[in-house]
Amino acid sequence: MRNGDTAKMNQRSKTVATLGLLSALAIVLSIFENQLFGYINFIIPGIKPGISNITVVFALAVLDFRYAAFIALIKSTASFLATGAITVLWFSLVGSTLSLLGMWLIYKFTSCFTLAGISALGGVLANVGQVIVMIVISDSMEFIYYMPVLAISGVLFGSIIGILAKYCINKLPIKFDKKS
Amino acid sequence: MNRADIILCGVLIVISLLSLLIPIVDGDIVTIKQGKNIIYNGSIFQSKVIEIDGDYYNKIEIENGKVRYAYATCPGHECVNLGWISHGSTACVPASTIIIVSNNSKATVDEIAG
């Protein structure tokens, strides 16, 4: 086997292993967050930091859009299975899709933002997606009043998640071909 | 976080604040929906307890111009924790139920007349 083939195979194995680990982490963090914030959401009801999004931001930065989309899909499915409610699946899918598309566009076509800003945009867009689903389901525009609070929490938690993702990438003992 | 990030965050928050330009007034009509089906539509000043069975059970209370999810079997209980509302809307996402408080003077007049 040529050296080039071996290097390609090693890279592929590394990607598959990372994808598996990130998917598992996304499921665990999703369940953890649902359980934890089920008990403490009386502080600010309806607001969740979206800890599991760290796996999506991480995948977008070190792997690729396709892998990040795969993890987002796994995460949405985990949330759906945890609650058994189809509405939750729509919420999660639309929020994740909008968030990921926004993050990918800004990540691919601009160079002035760090992962904190990219993730903040993702946090806000996820909330925008969920409000859109709520408006469509209820056929009522009233849910738009939640946007300011959701945008502030999206920016706050999104930035923190982006900073954490960057920290993890820098601390990672292995390096990926793609630059973060 | 660099300067561009901070500007982006500021722009996002300012855009979202635009939704506050829509005036909020206390409503007088409560509409409760399960999906798109209307379960209840009536005055917010008429005390009532509504129970909805579905994927998850919801108990909704209407009292003195306010409405709330009093009890729910959904996983997060976020709907219950949101408490009383007198305008706008609230929802129990896992149960697909929605409470909308709207201002509809015509309906109130009809209701009084009826």
Side-chain angles (χ1 to χ4, degrees), chain A residues 67-159:
Chain A
Y67 298 112
F70 177 78
I71 292 165
L73 184 66
I74 293 274
K75 201 166 67 69
S76 299
T77 312
S79 299
F80 166 56
L81 291 175
T83 56
I86 194 79
T87 326
V88 174
L89 180 66
W90 288 121
F91 253 64
S92 193
L93 276 180
V94 175
S96 298
T97 306
L98 209 59
S99 163
L100 189 58
L101 278 175
M103 288 197 292
W104 176 69
L105 286 173
I106 200 173
Y107 183 75
K108 194 166 170 65
F109 297 108
T110 66
S111 55
C112 54
F113 301 106
T114 67
L115 270 190
I118 293 167
S119 177
L121 176 73
V124 175
L125 287 178
N127 288 333
V128 168
Q130 294 181 352
V131 168
I132 290 171
V133 172
M134 211 61 235
I135 289 171
V136 170
I137 289 175
S138 65
D139 204 12
S140 145
M141 280 299 289
E142 271 88 352
F143 285 92
I144 205 157
Y145 292 132
Y146 285 104
M147 249 347 278
V149 176
L150 291 176
I152 291 167
S153 72
V155 162
L156 180 71
F157 292 123
S159 317

Side-chain angles (χ1 to χ4, degrees), chain A residues 38 41-42 45-46 48 83 85 87-88 91 106 112-114 116-117 120-121 124 134 136-140 142-148 151-152 155 159, chain B residues 1-2 4-5 8-9 12-13 16-17 19-20 22-24 33 35-36 55-56 75-78 81-82 88-91 93-94 96 98 100-102:
Chain A
N41 73 23
F42 56 86
K48 281 182 185 169
T83 56
T87 326
V88 174
F91 253 64
I106 200 173
C112 54
F113 301 106
T114 67
L121 176 73
V124 175
M134 211 61 235
V136 170
I137 289 175
S138 65
D139 204 12
S140 145
E142 271 88 352
F143 285 92
I144 205 157
Y145 292 132
Y146 285 104
M147 249 347 278
I152 291 167
V155 162
S159 317
Chain B
M1 261 189 135
N2 64 19
D5 292 335
L8 175 68
C9 292
L12 291 171
I13 291 173
S16 71
L17 287 176
S19 61
L20 291 180
I22 305 166
I24 302 173
K33 290 181 180 179
K36 295 216 169 186
D55 288 342
Y56 295 97
H77 299 105
E78 287 162 23
N81 290 330
L82 272 165
S89 47
T90 181
V93 176
S96 303
I98 294 142
I100 302 160
V101 181
S102 54

Side-chain angles (χ1 to χ4, degrees), chain B residues 96-108:
Chain B
S96 303
T97 58
I98 294 142
I99 303 174
I100 302 160
V101 181
S102 54
N103 207 315
N104 189 344
S105 305
K106 186 180 175 294
T108 314

Side-chain angles (χ1 to χ4, degrees), chain B residues 19-81:
Chain B
S19 61
L20 291 180
L21 294 176
I22 305 166
I24 302 173
V25 284
D26 281 0
D28 48 20
I29 294 291
V30 177
T31 306
I32 299 169
K33 290 181 180 179
Q34 189 174 32
K36 295 216 169 186
N37 301 325
I38 296 175
I39 304 286
Y40 177 82
N41 190 42
S43 170
I44 198 166
F45 300 102
Q46 188 183 341
S47 293
K48 203 162 178 83
V49 175
I50 294 140
E51 293 178 288
I52 303 171
D53 272 321
D55 288 342
Y56 295 97
Y57 168 82
N58 283 164
K59 182 180 174 185
I60 298 165
E61 282 180 1
I62 305 169
E63 201 179 288
N64 299 328
K66 295 173 296 180
V67 58
R68 69 164 179 173
Y69 282 97
Y71 178 74
T73 56
C74 61
H77 299 105
E78 287 162 23
C79 51
V80 176
N81 290 330

